């Protein structure tokens, strides 16, 4: 089997893992929130963690347009506040003063109880060009059940090679991210 055939096969397997994981996460939410999130796009470093069967830190879900961002934010605020993660004595306790509502909501994201983060800063397609690393850019469109991963993205994930996503990315601004990935076995040029 050549690399391209392997890419196609592993892409199908990864799509299955991604879909299974996201459906599982959505099923942990209230019915209304589940419906709202089922119209989102899943992307970020979690996809590479799923490929390597590693623990996923969080699941980033994005809206594809600003109308959907506003609709989901309104839904969560008005109807399903209980699906939003609360500040407790856990990992967010040090930041409790930043969240006056007692819920983990910032200008950039709303964190749900099951590890899902609904990103509110902008639409997926406006933010994607600003992603720092190639392995964070594959995405799964939940509503249309479509998984998008280029050969370069797959190669980066498969070989744990950190590759800068675009010439606009200044990875020197976030050396901690490079170190974090190196500690997990990723190679930096």
């Amino acid at each position: 089997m050549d690399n391209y055939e392997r890419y196609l096969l592993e892409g199908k397997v990864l799509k299955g893992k991604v879909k299974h994981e996201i459906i599982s996460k959505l099923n942990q939410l209230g019915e209304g929130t589940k419906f709202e999130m089922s119209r989102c796009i899943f992307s970020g470093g979690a996809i590479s963690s799923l490929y390597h069967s590693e623990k996923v830190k969080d699941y980033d879900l994005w809206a594809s347009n600003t109308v959907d961002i506003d609709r989901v934010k309104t839904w969560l605020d008005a109807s399903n506040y209980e699906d939003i993660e609360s500040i407790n004595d856990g990992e967010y306790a040090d930041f409790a003063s930043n969240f006056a509502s007692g819920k983990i909501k910032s200008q950039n994201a709303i964190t749900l109880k099951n590890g899902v983060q609904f990103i509110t800063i902008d639409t997926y397609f406006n933010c994607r060009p600003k992603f720092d690393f190639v392995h964070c850019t594959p995405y799964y469109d939940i509503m249309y059940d479509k998984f998008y991963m280029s050969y370069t993205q797959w190669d980066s994930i498969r070989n744990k090679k950190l590759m800068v996503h675009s010439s606009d990315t200044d990875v020197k601004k976030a050396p901690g991210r490079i170190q974090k990935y190196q500690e997990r076995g990723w190679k930096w040029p």
Side-chain angles (χ1 to χ4, degrees):
M1 177 183 311
D2 67 17
N3 266 354
Y4 186 72
E5 290 171 323
R6 188 173 182 171
Y7 153 71
L8 293 175
L9 176 63
E10 289 185 4
K12 286 181 184 180
V13 171
L14 183 55
K15 177 190 177 188
K17 280 184 173 183
V18 165
K19 180 178 180 176
H20 177 267
E21 194 72 12
I22 287 301
I23 299 275
S24 173
K25 289 294 176 184
L26 293 180
N27 284 336
Q28 296 169 8
L29 300 170
E31 284 303 312
T33 305
K34 176 181 172 180
F35 172 76
E36 293 297 336
M37 295 293 137
S38 71
R39 299 168 56 162
C40 291
I41 292 169
F42 169 54
S43 188
I47 291 175
S48 62
S49 294
L50 291 171
Y51 176 90
H52 291 287
S53 299
E54 298 171 345
K55 184 177 188 234
V56 174
K57 180 181 173 226
D58 54 45
Y59 300 80
D60 295 339
L61 294 185
W62 306 72
S64 60
N65 60 68
T66 54
V67 171
D68 285 347
I69 292 173
D70 293 339
R71 191 190 71 251
V72 172
K73 282 170 53 176
T74 300
W75 167 260
L76 288 170
D77 281 343
S79 305
N80 269 304
Y81 212 60
E82 68 274 1
D83 282 331
I84 302 173
E85 181 68 55
S86 296
I87 300 298
N88 55 35
D89 295 330
E91 68 177 292
Y92 300 105
D94 293 339
F95 304 103
S97 62
N98 296 334
F99 302 101
S101 67
K103 299 288 186 172
I104 301 176
K105 295 177 6 178
S106 71
Q107 290 179 309
N108 297 340
I110 299 171
T111 302
L112 304 180
K113 289 182 177 181
N114 63 353
V116 169
Q117 292 189 107
F118 178 66
I119 309 300
T120 59
I121 192 167
D122 203 345
T123 68
Y124 175 72
F125 295 106
N126 284 342
C127 288
R128 187 174 191 264
K130 301 170 193 163
F131 284 16
D132 50 5
F133 297 115
V134 167
H135 75 275
C136 296
T137 59
Y139 68 97
Y140 176 64
D141 188 316
I142 300 166
M143 185 162 64
Y144 295 105
D145 188 29
K146 298 283 184 187
F147 183 61
Y148 300 89
M149 180 177 64
S150 72
Y151 184 87
T152 301
Q153 293 162 344
W154 168 77
D155 183 56
S156 171
I157 292 169
R158 178 176 178 256
N159 294 301
K160 287 193 163 187
K161 291 188 302 189
L162 288 175
M163 299 168 66
V164 175
H165 178 235
S166 76
S167 59
D168 294 337
T169 304
D170 186 0
V171 295
K172 293 175 186 168
K173 289 182 181 177
R177 286 213 11 113
I178 294 171
Q179 182 179 354
K180 174 185 89 167
Y181 282 113
Q182 286 177 318
E183 288 169 0
R184 293 173 44 205
W186 287 74
K187 298 170 215 69
W188 177 241

